[in-house]
Amino acid sequence: MRRMLTGLILLGTATVLLSAPPGTDRAAGPEPVPLNPPCGVQAFDKPNDAGQAITIQWQASPDEASGLVEGYEVFRAESPEAPESLWVRVGYVPYGFTSYEDQDVPRNGVDYYYLVRSKNQTQSAASGFSNPARSSEQWFNTMRINALVGSILFVIIVVYFISMAKRGQHLFVRRIAGLTAVEEAVGRATEMGRPILYVPGLSSITDVATIAALNILGQVAKKTAEYDTPLLVPNRDPVVFTVAQEIVKEAYSEIGRPDAYNHDSVFYLTDSQMGYASGVDGIMSREKPATNFFMGMFWAESLILAETGAATGAIQIAGTDAVHQLPFFITACDYTLIGEELYAASAYLSREPMLLGTLKGQDWSKAVIYLLLLLGVGLSFLSPGIREFILNLLTVG
Amino acid sequence: MKRQIPLMLVLVLGILFFVQFFVPSQLSMEIYQMALQWSIVIGAFAIVLAIGSLVNHHTLKIKRRKEHFWNSYVTLFALFAMAFLGIFGRIESLSFMSAWFRKLFLYVQAPMDSAMFAILAFYMASAAYRAFRARSKEAMLLLISGFIIMLGVVPFGAYLWGRIPDIAEWIMMVPNMAAKRGILFGVGLGMTATSLKIILGIERNWLGGGGK
């Protein structure tokens, strides 16, 4: 009986304690601990930018480790004494981050102060003010010095080889099978009385691969003009179309066959990627070109084009710098220009000494890069500090 | 003169935008943005020429009664119908045209695009068959590495032997990555050299015919 009474009293006490409204003074309920603010707030101009940006850094609130902080609010004012209403909230970062970039600084050259507030659902705590910081625009991006030095070095090497070529020095260029086959491919089309199809990639004129493809088109057009072979150049980009038309027209004029130029041989198909692929596939199936050239930038349509071409029995020469499309072209085409060979094609086909000079310069620059690469790998084994230094040296900001 | 003006423009603008890459100031950014906008305007003019070419190409086909010339009727009809519905559908009282435009896009063009993309799967199978025929040592190597990678990315590979996914990852991250980076080095330098050749006026094929 006594035990039963004691049990009932204990049960009743527990029920009362558990049902007590929040905020009432429970016998064992602890006071909520105030949140600690972040500290050491520092603000400084964002380096190497166009101005109107300030970077703010701070040390995390000690409460972050115990999971009490959900994030940090960043406030900006023109004076540390500004009333609360003049402090503008400029951003919020979740916990784990201790910096913020204020990209909307109203004016360059004016001092601004920042404070950071640690925050959770019920509480917040403001840090002290930062040092005054003013944004400014820079006229040179110091993070790109390495790119500048590299570019200057490359230009020097190329100019040296161009001057060698100008002096008439023989420059050896290794045989590129895909380019040697161009003559044979045009000859084959002439013998068979069938056209040549030239696809200048699917990218825009701003892509260097497209420019390289158009350079090769000039050389191919000269050969088709010479042999009087029909040429078909379907285009996807309107600007590339107009440039291609001009290139082919000029190539025919240069060979002395402006009359052989067919204005309709360079035409626009469509802007749609798969629409273009099906259009070119249709041309290959109907016209049965003896030779197909796929030069420039390609995406998923590369295999659709190359496989259809292979099915029609055409000789196919492809060239692209799109690494992911190379395996498709290598599989489905007779010859493939891999990466840099696409850029070398114009020099290789024209055999102009000046262009060959740049090709040689390119090769030597690659040799310099590989040498530096080996040196860097060797040195990075010495200590992690050196490794870090080399990585910083190679990072372009 | 016909060649000198474009060459001069390319030289001046080439050097200007080379310098712009190293100058982060507001003025430099504004010049860059302006150039981007110009390229959009030029593109808009080129579209007119491109549509002219498309119409001309198909009209000639119809006139000359070339093989499958009736396809050209479909192309021209689709071109004008979509343009008509797209342009006049903007008028509030003709909003049903806009609805038709959307329907044609969603239920005709998009499925055709998807169908074309789906064909890729079949082409991949036939290309893989050709690539994996072990005719040489290199093809044999490709066949073996391809087989390991395919096994490594499906659960069945790990079921057969727990190390297969690791070997597949090693193939992708070491020899494959090394080859890719080697190609990319060459591509980077090739791009720079091509740009330099054009800026300095050494490469003139883009002007048409190589030009003297």
Side-chain angles (χ1 to χ4, degrees):
Chain A
M1 191 66 182
R2 240 175 107 178
R3 276 190 186 170
M4 261 182 74
L5 273 173
T6 318
L8 278 172
I9 291 163
L10 279 172
L11 190 69
T13 316
T15 314
V16 168
L17 277 174
L18 284 171
S19 62
T24 53
D25 191 18
R26 288 177 190 169
E31 280 281 320
V33 184
L35 200 62
N36 281 305
C39 57
V41 181
Q42 284 187 320
F44 52 87
D45 178 33
K46 188 190 167 199
N48 304 313
D49 72 338
Q52 295 190 297
I54 288 175
T55 305
I56 305 106
Q57 287 178 342
W58 60 88
Q59 285 165 26
S61 158
D63 293 329
E64 202 180 293
S66 49
L68 287 172
V69 178
E70 284 181 2
Y72 298 98
E73 282 184 317
V74 182
F75 292 84
R76 177 187 66 217
E78 285 193 23
S79 159
E81 281 93 35
E84 202 173 328
S85 59
L86 289 181
W87 282 90
V88 182
R89 183 183 184 272
V90 291
Y92 175 84
V93 290
Y95 71 91
F97 291 89
T98 53
S99 69
Y100 180 75
E101 231 164 60
D102 180 7
Q103 301 271 13
D104 294 312
V105 176
R107 279 172 296 162
N108 283 336
V110 175
D111 281 340
Y112 289 99
Y113 296 83
Y114 289 85
L115 65 82
V116 181
R117 204 178 262 276
S118 55
K119 207 172 178 284
N120 63 23
Q121 282 193 342
T122 53
Q123 300 178 74
S124 71
S127 68
F129 312 117
S130 71
N131 53 304
R134 53 175 65 181
S135 62
S136 62
E137 64 177 337
Q138 278 79 47
W139 287 91
F140 184 72
N141 189 341
T142 51
M143 287 292 286
R144 290 181 178 173
I145 287 179
N146 45 10
L148 182 65
V149 173
S151 306
I152 291 170
L153 200 71
F154 180 64
V155 171
I156 290 170
I157 294 174
V158 168
V159 169
Y160 170 73
F161 279 101
I162 289 173
S163 66
M164 268 179 75
K166 267 184 176 174
R167 285 202 300 270
Q169 201 151 332
H170 173 72
L171 298 172
F172 170 77
V173 178
R174 73 174 166 86
R175 188 177 167 273
I176 301 174
L179 296 173
T180 312
V182 169
E183 189 95 25
E184 176 202 332
V186 177
R188 181 178 182 257
T190 313
E191 278 171 18
M192 294 172 82
R194 287 201 203 152
I196 286 173
L197 177 74
Y198 192 99
V199 178
L202 274 83
S203 192
S204 66
I205 197 80
T206 51
D207 203 323
V208 189
T210 308
I211 297 174
L214 291 172
N215 286 336
I216 302 168
L217 172 63
Q219 302 293 339
V220 172
K222 276 185 202 167
K223 293 196 193 304
T224 57
E226 232 174 281
Y227 293 114
D228 202 13
T229 313
L231 177 69
L232 298 169
V233 189
N235 289 276
R236 185 203 179 193
D237 185 271
V239 180
V240 175
F241 154 70
T242 46
V243 177
Q245 209 168 39
E246 206 57 34
I247 284 175
V248 174
K249 193 175 159 186
E250 287 291 322
Y252 274 72
S253 301
E254 197 168 299
I255 291 297
R257 300 289 317 276
D259 53 305
Y261 170 68
N262 175 9
H263 188 69
D264 195 39
S265 62
V266 184
F267 52 95
Y268 178 76
L269 262 187
T270 171
D271 188 33
S272 154
Q273 182 194 13
M274 288 300 151
Y276 180 83
S278 59
V280 175
D281 279 2
I283 292 167
M284 286 192 276
S285 311
R286 282 191 303 270
E287 310 280 343
K288 299 268 184 307
T291 306
N292 297 332
F293 287 95
F294 304 113
M295 300 285 176
M297 186 67 194
F298 293 88
W299 286 276
E301 70 292 334
S302 62
L303 190 61
I304 298 176
L305 298 174
E307 273 292 295
T308 310
T312 62
I315 278 196
Q316 301 203 102
I317 303 175
T320 185
D321 61 355
V323 181
H324 293 105
Q325 307 310 324
L326 279 170
F328 296 134
F329 279 141
I330 290 170
T331 309
C333 296
D334 299 283
Y335 302 98
T336 306
L337 305 179
I338 299 172
E340 63 183 319
E341 289 175 347
L342 173 72
Y343 299 105
S346 175
Y348 188 93
L349 291 172
S350 68
R351 293 278 157 184
E352 272 183 47
M354 297 267 276
L355 291 175
L356 288 177
T358 58
L359 208 60
K360 232 31 201 167
Q362 210 174 308
D363 277 353
W364 276 99
S365 303
K366 208 159 61 176
V368 170
I369 287 178
Y370 287 144
L371 207 71
L372 289 174
L373 209 68
L374 283 175
L375 197 72
V377 169
L379 286 175
S380 64
F381 278 121
L382 295 178
S383 85
I386 294 176
R387 186 171 167 270
E388 203 63 33
F389 171 75
I390 292 170
L391 280 176
N392 285 335
L393 207 66
L394 296 175
T395 307
V396 177
Chain B
M1 203 64 178
K2 192 184 157 196
R3 288 184 191 283
Q4 275 151 355
I5 292 174
L7 283 173
M8 191 59 82
L9 270 174
V10 166
L11 178 70
V12 172
L13 290 174
I15 293 171
L16 179 75
F17 284 102
F18 177 77
V19 173
Q20 190 277 331
F21 180 74
F22 298 100
V23 180
S25 75
Q26 199 75 44
L27 178 72
S28 149
M29 292 296 159
E30 277 166 16
I31 290 174
Y32 181 66
Q33 288 303 324
M34 192 169 69
L36 287 183
Q37 283 164 1
W38 279 2
S39 66
I40 295 169
V41 173
I42 292 167
F45 279 110
I47 283 176
V48 178
L49 295 174
I51 291 173
S53 152
L54 185 73
V55 172
N56 186 45
H57 183 74
H58 288 283
T59 316
L60 276 177
K61 260 188 169 181
I62 293 168
K63 266 189 194 166
R64 290 175 188 164
R65 289 281 189 269
K66 276 191 169 183
E67 199 186 358
H68 304 301
F69 71 93
W70 44 268
N71 281 331
S72 297
Y73 278 121
V74 178
T75 308
L76 289 176
F77 176 74
L79 172 74
F80 288 115
M82 286 298 269
F84 185 78
L85 294 173
I87 293 165
F88 290 101
R90 298 250 169 191
I91 301 167
E92 212 170 307
S93 57
L94 298 171
S95 60
F96 69 94
M97 284 192 175
S98 166
W100 266 100
F101 177 84
R102 227 178 8 257
K103 272 183 192 165
L104 284 172
F105 179 79
L106 287 175
Y107 305 124
V108 179
Q109 190 182 334
M112 285 198 301
D113 272 350
S114 307
M116 201 62 204
F117 194 73
I119 290 174
L120 189 59
F122 299 100
Y123 282 135
M124 266 190 191
S126 71
Y129 170 72
R130 262 213 302 277
F132 287 155
R133 270 184 304 177
R135 286 172 304 184
S136 60
K137 266 185 274 176
E138 289 86 358
M140 190 63 154
L141 212 61
L142 183 72
L143 175 67
I144 295 167
S145 54
F147 187 68
I148 294 171
I149 286 163
M150 280 193 279
L151 268 182
V153 294
V154 292
F156 185 63
Y159 170 76
L160 286 179
W161 185 40
R163 296 292 305 276
I164 288 184
D166 297 335
I167 297 171
E169 199 188 335
W170 181 85
I171 292 172
M172 290 303 285
M173 296 309 291
V174 182
N176 174 59
M177 189 65 86
K180 257 192 196 175
R181 285 183 181 163
I183 293 171
L184 288 173
F185 268 129
V187 168
L189 284 174
M191 278 185 178
T192 318
T194 304
S195 310
L196 193 69
K197 280 187 278 189
I198 291 172
I199 290 170
L200 297 179
I202 299 168
E203 173 73 82
R204 295 179 183 190
N205 268 311
W206 59 276
L207 276 172
K212 283 163 184 113

